[in-house]
């Protein structure tokens, strides 16, 4: 009974909202009716004749000025429309706020009264900056074995220049340090990471490995007073193997073989620098670099095992890596672990990982939110029916699953269209924007199979995901469980994703009615002024015909009303 009452209240509320949406049209017709009733007291006919006489006395210069101003206004509005569609904001408003307001003294940075509000604004600005930060994709593919293969087959480039440039910056940050110039091979690799040409990078990596083949004699006798000398090899360059595994290897098996050689070289460098890290800042930076190299190699080896079907081995390698380096969260290895555990259908282990990383104090991701939703949907999706749920209402478990889906959709609203195959997938980029289309592609590319494996999960998602938007009608102004949706995702995603992909935009940017109305009015006024100047008599006849046609229904209604109402009552109304 309570559910029926709640449903009736919801319907009543929607009817009221609908009626208020179209109430302005009723008001408009009421105003027209009153104007027509009061046309005699207001002397509308006399005023119209006065206006027509005034227009007849205007010189051609007026029409030229009117047409020119209308043309300029129309061009400005067209530019505003184009700028709004491309950047999502008004050019005039942006210039006014950014440049004119400080010049006119609209911003007072020294005001002590507004210190609290300015602190709040700075916090929100920092939040928006962090929301629009570009992150390394933890599940990125191998450039030589996967991305290049796609290019060979289709002739399309799956990676943008901006994405590859970010990868080059990451490599320079993780794999280089200030002391690289002291070692010839590392100096070559430092230049190789800056190269734009892939073949030049590969050639530099081979050159770095050839340098390490040169053997050097260490002038320390093995036995006192002996002429036998110890011969040592220079340490192998682990970063050269990394580059070859990423870009030259054409299969995952070849990449794994090169990564194993990189692991042997990187582990030796890590152990040596670990012993010397406290001898100075230079050694500390070198140890930090060697740590990043070792973690990267082990993580990519685990991903190779996952690609080659050795999922349990990959899970073990990821767990050992997270246990050995618990503070290196920049690589987001737990997202690789979640995907591998879902492949094994080890849902209890997935829940244990989520319990550690799905915390309010830790940054969220689509993998975290949608995996949590998948686990809760798994408990009820096999028996879920929208018809039965509408009749009996949602159970507690079903409500928890729906809330988890709403939470995930609020974090990233682009994912459901890819999971439900309403939008075609492409290869994920090497970098993603959290809550953006790039993150949705990266998640759905690897997790679509896991959703299909859970019976009824996609059906539950299909029935409930759009309900999220009723909870957050103004996503850019306020959020429900997360911060308001950032406005910078579309611009960043267009730079990260290839041009042949249609970027998903949320919320849909609709052109304001005022801009459309003003643009149409400007264009119509300019055309009317030009035609009136060229053909004044013909336009006068056309105007009379148009007005008579426009008011014909109203005249017909008024005649019927006059025939029905008593003449005395009508006379009293007109006197009022």
């Amino acid at each position: 009974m309570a559910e029926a009452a709640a449903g009736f209240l919801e319907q009543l509320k929607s009817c009221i909202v609908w009626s208020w949406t179209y109430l302005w049209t009723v008001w408009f017709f009421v105003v027209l009716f009153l104007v027509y009733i009061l046309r005699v007291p207001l002397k509308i006919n006399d005023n119209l004749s006065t206006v027509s006489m005034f227009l007849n006395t205007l010189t051609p210069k007026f029409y030229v000025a009117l047409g020119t101003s209308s043309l300029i206004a129309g061009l400005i509005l067209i530019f505003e429309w184009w700028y709004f569609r491309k950047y999502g904001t008004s050019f005039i408003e942006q210039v006014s706020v950014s440049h004119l307001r400080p010049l006119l003294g609209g911003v007072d940075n020294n005001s002590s009264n507004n210190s609290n509000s300015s602190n709040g604004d700075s916090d929100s600005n920092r939040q928006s900056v962090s929301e629009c930060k570009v992150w390394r994709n933890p599940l990125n593919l191998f450039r030589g074995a996967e991305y290049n293969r796609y290019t060979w087959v289709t002739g399309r480039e799956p990676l943008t220049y901006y994405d590859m440039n970010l990868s080059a910056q990451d490599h320079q940050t993780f794999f280089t340090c200030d002391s690289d110039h002291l070692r010839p091979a590392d100096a070559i690799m430092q230049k190789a990471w800056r190269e734009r040409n892939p073949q030049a990078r590969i050639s530099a990596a081979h050159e770095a490995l050839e340098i390490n083949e040169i053997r050097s004699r260490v002038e320390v006798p093995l036995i006192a007073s002996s002429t036998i000398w110890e011969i040592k090899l220079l340490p192998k360059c682990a970063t050269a193997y990394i580059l070859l595994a990423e870009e030259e290897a054409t299969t995952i098996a070849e990449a794994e073989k090169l990564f194993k050689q990189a692991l042997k070289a990187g582990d030796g460098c890590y152990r040596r620098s670990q012993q010397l890290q406290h001898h100075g800042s230079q050694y500390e930076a070198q140890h930090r670099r060697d740590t990043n190299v070792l973690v990267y190699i082990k993580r990519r080896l685990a991903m190779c095992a996952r690609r080659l079907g050795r999922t349990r081995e990959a899970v073990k390698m990821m767990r050992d890596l997270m246990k050995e380096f618990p503070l290196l969260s920049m690589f987001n290895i737990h997202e690789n672990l979640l995907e591998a555990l879902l492949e094994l259908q080890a849902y209890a282990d997935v829940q244990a990982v989520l319990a550690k990383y799905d915390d309010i104090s830790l940054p969220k991701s689509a993998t975290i939110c949608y995996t949590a939703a998948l686990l809760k949907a798994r408990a009820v999706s096999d028996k879920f029916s929208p018809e039965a749920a509408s009749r009996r209402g949602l159970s507690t478990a079903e409500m928890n699953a729906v809330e988890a889906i709403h939470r995930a959709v609020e974090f990233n609203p682009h994912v459901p269209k890819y999971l439900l195959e309403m939008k075609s997938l492409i290869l994920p980029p090497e970098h993603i924007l959290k809550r953006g289309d790039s993150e949705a592609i990266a998640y759905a590319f690897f997790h679509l199979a896991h959703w299909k494996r859970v019976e009824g999960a996609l059906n539950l998602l299909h029935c409930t995901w759009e309900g999220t938007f009723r909870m957050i009608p103004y996503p850019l102004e306020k959020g429900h469980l997360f911060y308001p949706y950032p406005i910078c995702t579309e611009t960043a995603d267009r730079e990260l994703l290839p041009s042949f992909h249609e970027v998903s935009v949320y919320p849909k940017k609709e052109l304001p009615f005022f801009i459309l109305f003003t643009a149409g009015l400007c264009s119509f006024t300019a055309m009317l002024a030009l035609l009136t100047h060229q053909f004044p008599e013909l336009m006068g006849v056309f105007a009379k015909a148009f007005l008579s046609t426009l008011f014909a229904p109203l005249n017909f209604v008024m005649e019927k009303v006059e025939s029905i109402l008593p003449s005395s009552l009508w006379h009293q109304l007109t006197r009022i």
Side-chain angles (χ1 to χ4, degrees), residues 143-144 147-148 151-152 157 159-161 164 168 171 189 191-206 240 243-249 430:
R143 194 175 290 185
Y147 287 120
N148 286 350
T151 304
W152 297 335
E157 289 291 341
L159 299 176
T160 63
Y161 173 77
M164 292 189 288
H171 295 151
M189 290 306 300
K191 295 179 180 178
W193 295 122
R194 299 193 185 101
E195 284 286 346
R196 294 185 180 181
N197 188 357
Q199 292 302 323
R201 289 195 298 269
I202 293 172
S203 300
H206 282 295
L243 192 147
L244 294 178
E246 291 284 355
E247 301 193 18
E248 189 182 39
E430 293 183 340

Side-chain angles (χ1 to χ4, degrees), residues 20 186 227 229 238 259 429 465 468 493 517 565:
W20 276 101
D186 289 335
T227 58
W229 304 93
F259 272 121
W465 73 280
T468 311
D493 278 333
F517 176 75
L565 291 178

Side-chain angles (χ1 to χ4, degrees), residues 100-131:
L100 299 181
R101 188 178 175 189
L103 294 176
L104 298 176
V107 178
D108 188 3
N109 295 327
N110 300 323
S111 175
S112 60
N113 297 330
N114 297 330
S115 60
N116 294 331
S117 62
S118 63
N119 290 335
D121 293 340
S122 62
D123 292 339
S124 62
N125 290 336
R126 282 195 296 271
Q127 177 63 30
S128 64
V129 169
S130 64
E131 287 284 353

